[in-house]
Amino acid sequence: MGSSSPLTRRSREPHSLASVFIVFLCFVLCFAYSSNAQSSPVFACDVAGNPSLAAYGFCNTVLKIENRVADLVGRLTLQEKIGFLVSKANGVTRLGIPTYEWWSEALHGVSYVGPGTHFSGQVPGATSFPQVILTAASFNVSLFHAIGKVVSTEARAMYNVGLAGLTYWSPNVNIFRDPRWGRGQETPGEDPLLSSKYASGYVKGLQETDDGADANRLKVAACCKHYTAYDVDNWKGVERYNFNAVVTQQDMDDTYQPPFKSCVIDGNVASVMCSYNQVNGKPTCADPDLLSGVIRGEWKLNGYIVSDCDSVDVLYKNQHYTKTPAEAAAISINAGLDLNCGSFLGQHTEDAVKAGLVNVSAIDNAISNNFVTLMRLGFFDGDPKRQIYGGLGPKDVCTPANQELAAEAARQGIVLLKNTGCLPLSPVAIKSLAVIGPNANVTKTMIGNYEGTPCKYTTPLQGLAGTVSTTYLPGCSNVACAVADVDAATKLAAAADATVLVIGADQSIEAESRDRVDLNLPGKQQELVTQVAKAAKGPVFLVIMSGGGFDITFAKNDAKIAGILWVGYPGEAGGIAIADVIFGRYNPSGRLPMTWYPQSYVEKVPMTNMNMRPDTSNGYPGRSYRFYTGETVYAFGDGLSYTKCSHSLVKAPRLLSLRLEENHVCRSTECQSLDAIGPHCENAVSGGGGGPAFEVQVKVINDGDREGIHTVFLFTTPPAVHGSPRKHLLGFEKIRLGKKEEAVVTFKVEICKDLSVVDEVGKRKIALGKHLLHVGDLKHSLSIRI
């Protein structure tokens, strides 16, 4: 046919309008349905809606959790059981159990990474705290706990309106072993003690119920990851999926394992995630010694073990560890894996059962661990709105108090690395401030990875401009800084009373699946900094936004650069915190949680060498402040304040005697060390009195003329036996002191725990002889003898 007649065209118009109306009506109805769907949390045992469910034992809240779980498992078919081995757990309609998505994230705030969490018009954002590496720099355990508590409250509030789950695969407690690691930003740093304190503190904040009435109940379920010796993502073609971490037993027990041990034992974490990599030739998710043996056997995990996403698929396809998918499924479940992030176990476990590779009892055990966790969360207790957190909702997310805590966390973490005396700036004396650099006016960069939508942003530029008149220039189009606008930047600095350069990295430089190959500032950032410093009329201050450290020796030694601050990725309120520190409204107290190495270090040390201890035979310098023997740009624990504190020793023993049994071998043989277990650990005496622990008391005086927060570190240098650390952190306390105020800080030191070292085969030993305690410049000798 040719063109339509006028009649035909007219007859189509009403039809078109009807179509539009129908589409519009569908949109309205779908939106209403979607909004309604988002207004209700997912939960099982809706006895009010379906009274027949009351007959099921697993819905009976009076019964013990283990009895409820046994009842539930006994009602499931094999196919239904297998459906509960994967992260998107299949619902069982006949039993009133809905589909549940296990994967949510809350590394430093409720995150949109993972399909279990969403933001909407109801809850458009959540409080975005600093990336973990900066929070760790606060060395404030109560802050770690407080952040966890806020995050779990916001998570529960979002769960109540159908926007979030109850199981969060956070925190990342891997040791930040190598400065090139793209995920170091997610961790609490390089020190096992700090990482352990962070891990247990944040986990308790997330998990513990507000009333604390029942230790077995969970507010949300945390997960410590990535177990274990995981810290290579993608370096010069070496990928995490096929990397075999060759680790000595000494380094495992001394460095890599302590944060996970603390998570489970001290934090009572509900989950541990096994990693992609192999450790000494075995995939971690298929290693029964690491999973059933250590996590569940030695540490007594009360919860579930989950794979990193598609780890079981990876050990089959990438690592070729098994010949068939069924074998991969079986070897993982038999090793102690309970839950697979992904769908691999859902697809291949039935074949493994049919082939006789795995018993149904092992599957029962795995899903029982998963169900126990959901029971502890109240998922099987009916409508959450009738439970302890039922009153939480959108009003409890992004509250002013929560946002202020995000700002305070950033303030406490910011590290002042250099100050020639020009900081803090006077907002009265400074009439014009030049703000230059690719990170000066960023938003998303400030929150790092595993992020959520923040409540709002305050950029560095906005924070500084809120105090004094500013002029602004990015200087580079991005942090890669292929081209630097040096001419315009130098003109700006030459006309201003002071200049702040905000530089560093972002997720294009360091990220998951992206390790660095050097420690230099990206692109032409160094040229930009040097030329601006040369041309500036007033003092120049460098603000470095990054997860890992850089070799900024040039800036450290440049007399024209009056101050250097490291601000990590400071979270949604980063600009407020930066301005507060620069203008003296907050006295900086952060300390570096990792060593900053020179570029020469990475030129001679392959990232794949997992050894912590130096090797003089090949010039390997070791890793972290505990073992590294070379030069540093800045050291672990470095950080300045606007005031000065001095330390003096009030109390510490000079001699510790260990009483041995009559037949102990060291009574007749000269020993360098003793096992850190046994009767002598129960009968140790300090100077003729006391028990197996002693106190170190240190008087701290604020000698300055302004209030400050001061971190007191207690380090020890043990005798040089068993490859012991050169220096080791025993404890830290953060105290607030007014000007000229003094306080006494007390450390409790347990001899067999704190003064022991790990020997070559992974056993804890008490080194006999002289131990040197350090607090600041203060040193105290302490001898242990038998």
Side-chain angles (χ1 to χ4, degrees):
M1 292 180 64
S3 60
S4 303
S5 67
L7 179 63
T8 308
R9 282 199 300 273
R10 280 196 303 273
S11 69
R12 285 180 176 175
E13 286 169 5
H15 179 68
S16 299
L17 287 173
S19 298
V20 170
F21 177 74
I22 290 168
V23 170
F24 175 73
L25 183 63
C26 179
F27 173 78
V28 171
L29 291 173
C30 288
F31 180 79
Y33 173 78
S34 173
S35 298
N36 183 57
Q38 285 195 337
S39 67
S40 301
V42 175
F43 63 94
C45 296
D46 183 11
V47 175
N50 182 358
S52 67
L53 298 176
Y56 295 134
F58 68 86
C59 289
N60 185 347
T61 58
V62 176
L63 296 178
K64 289 183 177 180
I65 284 179
E66 54 265 36
N67 295 336
R68 297 174 69 189
V69 169
D71 177 81
L72 173 54
V73 172
R75 295 177 186 277
L76 300 173
T77 66
L78 176 60
Q79 289 73 24
E80 287 169 344
K81 290 174 181 178
I82 290 170
F84 288 107
L85 291 170
V86 294
S87 51
K88 190 174 181 62
N90 294 337
V92 180
T93 305
R94 66 184 180 84
L95 297 178
I97 303 172
T99 297
Y100 177 72
E101 176 56 66
W102 284 82
W103 183 7
S104 293
E105 302 275 357
L107 182 67
H108 51 106
V110 179
S111 167
Y112 47 57
V113 176
T117 310
H118 309 275
F119 292 97
S120 73
Q122 259 184 313
V123 182
T127 309
S128 189
F129 291 91
Q131 183 60 292
V132 176
I133 193 69
L134 188 72
T135 296
S138 72
F139 284 88
N140 185 347
V141 176
S142 63
L143 178 65
F144 308 157
H145 185 271
I147 292 173
K149 195 170 180 179
V150 165
V151 173
S152 60
T153 295
E154 295 197 346
R156 270 284 179 174
M158 291 175 67
Y159 168 72
N160 284 347
V161 290
L163 293 172
L166 293 168
T167 46
Y168 290 84
W169 292 346
S170 308
N172 179 343
V173 299
N174 292 119
I175 293 293
F176 194 176
R177 173 187 61 94
D178 190 290
R180 292 163 286 193
W181 189 31
R183 302 190 74 173
Q185 60 181 291
E186 302 173 32
T187 77
E190 71 182 30
D191 180 68
L193 179 72
L194 173 60
S195 297
S196 297
K197 295 279 190 186
Y198 177 86
S200 59
Y202 188 63
V203 165
K204 286 178 181 177
L206 286 175
Q207 292 194 164
E208 289 177 350
T209 55
D210 293 346
D211 61 4
D214 184 352
N216 202 37
R217 299 294 287 190
L218 295 168
K219 190 175 178 187
V220 301
C223 172
C224 288
K225 62 186 188 185
H226 311 79
Y227 181 84
T228 183
Y230 166 73
D231 53 14
V232 174
D233 263 60
N234 188 349
W235 178 76
K236 295 187 176 180
V238 179
E239 287 192 298
R240 57 185 175 170
Y241 305 116
N242 48 32
F243 177 58
N244 177 29
V246 178
V247 189
T248 66
Q249 194 60 49
Q250 186 174 30
D251 283 341
M252 280 290 283
D253 292 338
D254 182 52
T255 296
Y256 297 109
Q257 294 289 68
F260 292 100
K261 184 177 182 179
S262 183
C263 262
V264 177
I265 294 176
D266 302 323
N268 192 25
V269 76
S271 178
V272 174
M273 176 184 285
C274 51
S275 52
Y276 290 115
N277 57 291
Q278 296 185 358
V279 174
N280 298 327
K282 290 183 181 179
T284 63
C285 292
D287 188 337
D289 294 331
L290 285 176
L291 304 189
S292 297
V294 175
I295 299 177
R296 201 169 294 284
E298 291 179 27
W299 299 344
K300 310 298 181 192
L301 173 71
N302 179 18
Y304 68 102
I305 299 173
V306 60
S307 73
D308 204 340
C309 293
D310 296 316
S311 283
V312 187
D313 188 47
V314 163
L315 73 87
Y316 166 65
K317 285 184 181 172
N318 296 62
Q319 299 174 8
H320 309 294
Y321 193 71
T322 64
K323 291 181 180 178
T324 68
E327 289 172 343
I331 199 172
S332 300
I333 295 169
N334 288 332
L337 187 70
D338 302 311
L339 188 72
N340 162 216
C341 175
S343 57
F344 191 91
L345 291 186
Q347 295 166 352
H348 303 293
T349 300
E350 189 169 356
D351 288 342
V353 173
K354 288 176 180 175
L357 298 172
V358 64
N359 294 327
V360 174
S361 60
I363 296 169
D364 290 350
N365 191 54
I367 62 173
S368 292
N369 292 327
N370 301 338
F371 289 143
V372 163
T373 305
L374 291 176
M375 293 276 182
R376 295 173 68 198
L377 287 160
F379 184 80
F380 286 91
D381 293 352
D383 189 350
K385 293 184 178 177
R386 297 170 184 265
Q387 296 179 41
I388 180 174
Y389 297 108
L392 295 175
K395 71 182 188 310
D396 299 294
V397 184
C398 286
T399 65
N402 294 357
Q403 293 187 65
E404 171 54 29
L405 184 63
E408 179 61 19
R411 293 184 196 105
Q412 288 197 28
I414 289 174
V415 182
L416 178 62
L417 292 170
K418 176 182 178 180
N419 186 15
T420 60
C422 294
L423 286 174
L425 287 180
S426 164
V428 176
I430 300 296
K431 304 298 182 187
S432 61
L433 182 70
V435 181
I436 300 169
N439 279 338
N441 199 32
V442 291
T443 52
K444 198 167 185 293
T445 297
M446 293 198 300
I447 59 177
N449 68 358
Y450 282 83
E451 75 284 11
T453 303
C455 310
K456 62 181 180 183
Y457 285 112
T458 303
T459 72
L461 176 63
Q462 289 170 334
L464 295 167
T467 301
V468 296
S469 176
T470 59
T471 52
Y472 163 63
L473 184 79
C476 315
S477 59
N478 53 42
V479 291
C481 200
V483 178
D485 192 354
V486 172
D487 289 345
T490 52
K491 286 176 185 173
L492 210 65
D497 293 336
T499 299
V500 174
L501 280 152
V502 191
I503 59 167
D506 65 12
Q507 302 305 305
S508 70
I509 302 295
E510 51 181 5
E512 184 171 4
S513 298
R514 182 177 293 119
D515 298 325
R516 289 189 283 161
V517 294
D518 62 52
L519 302 182
N520 299 316
L521 287 173
K524 298 193 175 181
Q525 286 191 33
Q526 180 170 333
E527 180 188 349
L528 177 69
V529 171
T530 302
Q531 294 304 319
V532 164
K534 195 181 292 184
K537 179 176 75 173
V540 174
F541 306 100
L542 201 57
V543 175
I544 301 169
M545 199 177 288
S546 70
F550 287 103
D551 184 349
I552 53 166
T553 306
F554 78 94
K556 183 180 179 181
N557 296 335
D558 189 335
K560 292 294 295 288
I561 295 176
I564 302 173
L565 293 95
W566 174 70
V567 301
Y569 294 118
E572 65 171 44
I576 297 169
I578 290 167
D580 284 349
V581 169
I582 286 176
F583 288 105
R585 293 185 290 266
Y586 187 88
N587 191 349
S589 62
R591 300 291 182 265
L592 284 183
M594 72 296 200
T595 304
W596 283 34
Y597 300 91
Q599 168 62 15
S600 59
Y601 174 75
V602 299
E603 289 170 357
K604 59 189 174 189
V605 175
M607 191 175 172
T608 48
N609 188 328
M610 301 293 291
N611 292 332
M612 299 303 298
R613 288 159 170 79
D615 185 343
T616 53
S617 69
N618 60 15
Y620 180 67
R623 296 184 182 276
S624 86
Y625 80 95
R626 299 170 69 223
F627 301 105
Y628 175 59
T629 54
E631 295 295 316
T632 62
V633 179
Y634 289 106
F636 174 88
D638 275 0
L640 304 171
S641 168
Y642 296 150
T643 189
K644 289 280 188 185
C645 287
S646 58
H647 309 95
S648 60
L649 193 64
V650 175
K651 178 185 178 183
R654 288 210 171 269
L655 177 66
L656 296 169
S657 296
L658 299 176
R659 294 176 181 165
L660 301 185
E661 300 161 280
E662 291 295 329
N663 60 347
H664 196 287
V665 65
C666 291
R667 281 185 171 272
S668 56
T669 305
E670 189 170 331
C671 295
Q672 288 187 314
S673 64
L674 299 172
D675 288 342
I677 55 171
H680 54 273
C681 281
E682 297 154 20
N683 303 319
V685 294
S686 170
F694 62 89
E695 287 186 350
V696 174
Q697 293 184 352
V698 179
K699 182 189 286 186
V700 186
I701 303 174
N702 180 356
D703 298 314
D705 58 359
R706 63 189 300 151
E707 181 185 73
I709 298 175
H710 180 64
T711 302
V712 186
F713 293 110
L714 175 63
F715 290 98
T716 179
T717 297
V721 296
H722 303 305
S724 59
R726 299 169 73 242
K727 189 178 176 184
H728 179 62
L729 185 62
L730 288 189
F732 55 89
E733 291 291 335
K734 196 149 189 168
I735 57 169
R736 183 185 296 273
L737 294 171
K739 58 182 180 180
K740 308 302 180 185
E741 188 179 356
E742 63 180 56
V744 173
V745 175
T746 299
F747 294 98
K748 182 182 178 183
V749 181
E750 296 179 43
I751 298 168
C752 296
K753 176 187 171 190
D754 299 319
L755 295 184
S756 61
V757 297
V758 175
D759 74 6
E760 293 80 359
V761 295
K763 300 288 186 184
R764 282 219 158 259
K765 301 278 191 176
I766 308 159
L768 299 174
K770 190 175 85 170
H771 295 245
L772 194 63
L773 302 179
H774 316 240
V775 178
D777 295 329
L778 184 70
K779 289 182 171 60
H780 174 77
S781 290
L782 161 68
S783 289
I784 300 181
R785 71 179 188 188
I786 55 176

